[in-house]
Amino acid sequence: MNRPPARIAQLILLICITSATAVSLVAQEGDYTIGPKDLIEIRVLEIPEMNVERRVKENGTIDLPMIGEFSVNGLTAVEANERLSALLRAEYVNRANVSIVIREYANKPLSILGAVARPGSLNVSGRYTLLQAISAAGGLTPDAGKKIFVIRSATDGDSTVIEVPKDELFRASSSEWNIPVFPSDIVNVPARTIVKVFCIGEVRTPGALEFDSDDRISLLSVIAKAGGLTDRAARKIIITRRGPDGQDVDMTVDYRALIAGRINDPELRSDDVVIVKQSFF
């Protein structure tokens, strides 16, 4: 079977990703239910005086010309459109071309947390992207980490976490990473922190070693930062880690197998202790 050239395959993949994003965007907007503080725009082709913008009151209603108090609470934009169209046809006109658009999603604001200049809630207006949300929050602070997380809740209560690499987002601003964000989303920008791992025993510079929380901390990287093993180092290396119950748990690693590539380089965590004992042979 003939396979498409790599360039064509990449274009097909990009089209699929773009289409999936567009479907997700439409679904999110269509599922949103109007509530207090939302700003909605109403247009009625046959009745120009009803072309207005209204902020939804705390009781979920808006005041409209000719109609007065009209409830939109708990309705999607499509449902509110259908209800207003039916009311106008029943009372005023034979045909009603109605458009209802949510201009500000203030009832369920987007939240942005962590290493941004102004963390807090954002009233999303129209279609919003991740970069727009970060910009509206004053941009990233210098201690922002390498990853940004978008936490999205579904109607069934489940949550989805989307991981976005910061450098990729700001390098090209492509739609692959500059994803749309929606009301009720939580954008979390974790700050970098200092992580300490302890290395004691037969290494050239034993003691506490500091790493950036964005780094992948492995046993080999710890040994390298400690100056390497001494000539008296034993083959077996012990990693001690404090467990959830407060008890220490030990893991033994064969150093020769590790540097030969026969076993994976184990990832270490904050406050792990690497013990390199002395060989007696």
Side-chain angles (χ1 to χ4, degrees):
M1 184 177 66
N2 293 330
R3 295 186 177 181
R7 179 59 179 165
I8 295 176
Q10 290 174 354
L11 289 173
I12 293 173
L13 178 60
L14 178 60
I15 291 171
C16 292
I17 292 173
T18 304
S19 300
T21 301
V23 170
S24 175
L25 181 60
V26 172
Q28 287 284 341
E29 290 181 339
D31 291 342
Y32 182 83
T33 55
I34 302 171
K37 300 180 182 179
D38 285 340
L39 180 66
I40 61 176
E41 177 188 76
I42 298 173
R43 294 288 183 266
V44 182
L45 181 62
E46 294 80 6
I47 311 175
E49 57 265 39
M50 291 197 67
N51 296 339
V52 294
E53 283 191 352
R54 291 290 187 267
R55 182 78 64 182
V56 181
K57 299 177 183 179
E58 289 297 330
N59 63 359
T61 65
I62 55 175
D63 288 324
L64 294 178
M66 301 170 53
I67 293 177
E69 197 170 77
F70 178 73
S71 178
V72 293
N73 193 50
L75 303 178
T76 66
V78 172
E79 291 170 340
N81 190 319
E82 293 173 350
R83 182 172 295 185
L84 181 57
S85 297
L87 178 60
L88 292 176
R89 289 196 304 270
E91 299 291 339
Y92 300 102
V93 292
N94 294 327
R95 183 177 180 181
N97 290 286
V98 176
S99 169
I100 294 182
V101 178
I102 304 171
R103 290 301 179 196
E104 288 185 11
Y105 298 83
N107 181 53
K108 298 176 182 176
L110 179 148
S111 298
I112 184 162
L113 311 172
V116 292
R118 296 188 298 273
S121 298
L122 297 175
N123 292 337
V124 179
S125 178
R127 296 190 176 187
Y128 230 57
T129 66
L130 179 56
L131 279 177
Q132 286 176 310
I134 292 172
S135 177
L140 302 181
T141 59
D143 62 340
K146 294 181 181 179
K147 296 178 181 178
I148 298 171
F149 299 94
V150 178
I151 304 164
R152 180 165 299 155
S153 297
T155 53
D156 59 3
D158 291 336
S159 295
T160 301
V161 179
I162 304 169
E163 182 179 309
V164 177
K166 183 191 71 176
D167 291 344
E168 293 295 330
L169 172 65
F170 283 90
R171 179 177 293 119
S173 300
S174 68
S175 58
E176 179 182 3
W177 300 117
N178 189 25
I179 60 174
V181 290
F182 305 101
S184 299
D185 280 357
I186 300 173
V187 177
N188 185 22
V189 186
R192 296 192 310 272
T193 57
I194 298 300
V195 175
K196 286 187 177 182
V197 175
F198 301 89
C199 191
I200 59 177
E202 293 301 323
V203 291
R204 302 194 185 279
T205 54
L209 305 174
E210 293 187 348
F211 294 84
D212 192 299
S213 58
D214 282 333
D215 295 334
R216 182 185 182 274
I217 309 170
S218 70
L219 177 57
L220 285 179
S221 67
V222 168
I223 292 174
K225 196 159 188 174
L229 303 183
T230 69
D231 295 336
R232 300 184 300 275
R235 176 176 176 175
K236 303 292 186 179
I237 296 176
I238 299 172
I239 300 171
T240 299
R241 176 174 298 162
R242 183 63 53 87
D245 58 357
Q247 301 298 314
D248 288 340
V249 179
D250 291 344
M251 176 175 65
T252 302
V253 178
D254 187 319
Y255 183 69
R256 292 182 186 175
L258 177 60
I259 59 175
R262 295 197 299 271
I263 60 175
N264 293 328
D265 189 10
E267 188 167 348
L268 303 187
R269 302 176 187 171
S270 178
D271 296 328
D272 279 357
V273 180
V274 176
I275 305 170
V276 184
K277 293 185 176 181
Q278 181 177 353
S279 173
F280 295 100
F281 301 95

